[in-house]
Amino acid sequence: MGGNIEATYLKNGKYAVAYTEVKVLENYKKYEIYYPDELASADKKYPVIVMSNGTGVKGSKYRAVFEHYASWCFIVIGNEEEYSWSGFSADMSLNYLLKCNDDSNSFFYQKIDTDNIGSFKVTKMPARHLLRKQASS
């Protein structure tokens, strides 16, 4: 289903993907970061996608999605928070990457395109509830 655009972007992109994780002491346990493998040697900045966990959904359940976006030249970060109703852990994930971007000892030093940062939310909430919530906002 769909057209040429959908067919193109449903496939993985042309970039090989690398992965790293960073343990944290918070209840979200670790940051999981997927990125184009070329990042280590390329002299350019990369857009970021932050995964905002929904009820009962850890980032590790969506590795294939993270890898897919990274194959299209995005840095993708998530964590293991299962109940991120406030968005705090997503904020902390982004803050971690932004600190790395400013840290000359970091692998991600000056690699973050701070003008191109987006997010997506994964939730088990029924779509009808989301639609009602949006309509009442």
Side-chain angles (χ1 to χ4, degrees), residues 38-46 109-111:
E38 71 166 24
L39 184 140
S41 59
D43 184 27
K44 67 181 189 179
K45 296 181 184 252
Y46 298 82
Y109 178 62
Q110 299 297 300
K111 299 291 185 174

Side-chain angles (χ1 to χ4, degrees), residues 28 30-32 53 58-60 77-81 89-90 93:
Y28 40 90
K30 63 184 174 180
Y31 299 123
E32 298 163 307
N53 309 22
K58 301 181 207 178
S60 60
I77 187 168
N79 60 62
E80 291 296 279
E81 172 90 74
S89 65
S93 296

Side-chain angles (χ1 to χ4, degrees), residues 32 34 51 59 62-70 76-78 120:
E32 298 163 307
Y34 292 79
M51 186 252 203
Y62 289 89
R63 287 186 174 121
V65 174
F66 287 20
E67 288 175 0
H68 179 80
Y69 287 135
V76 186
I77 187 168
F120 72 96

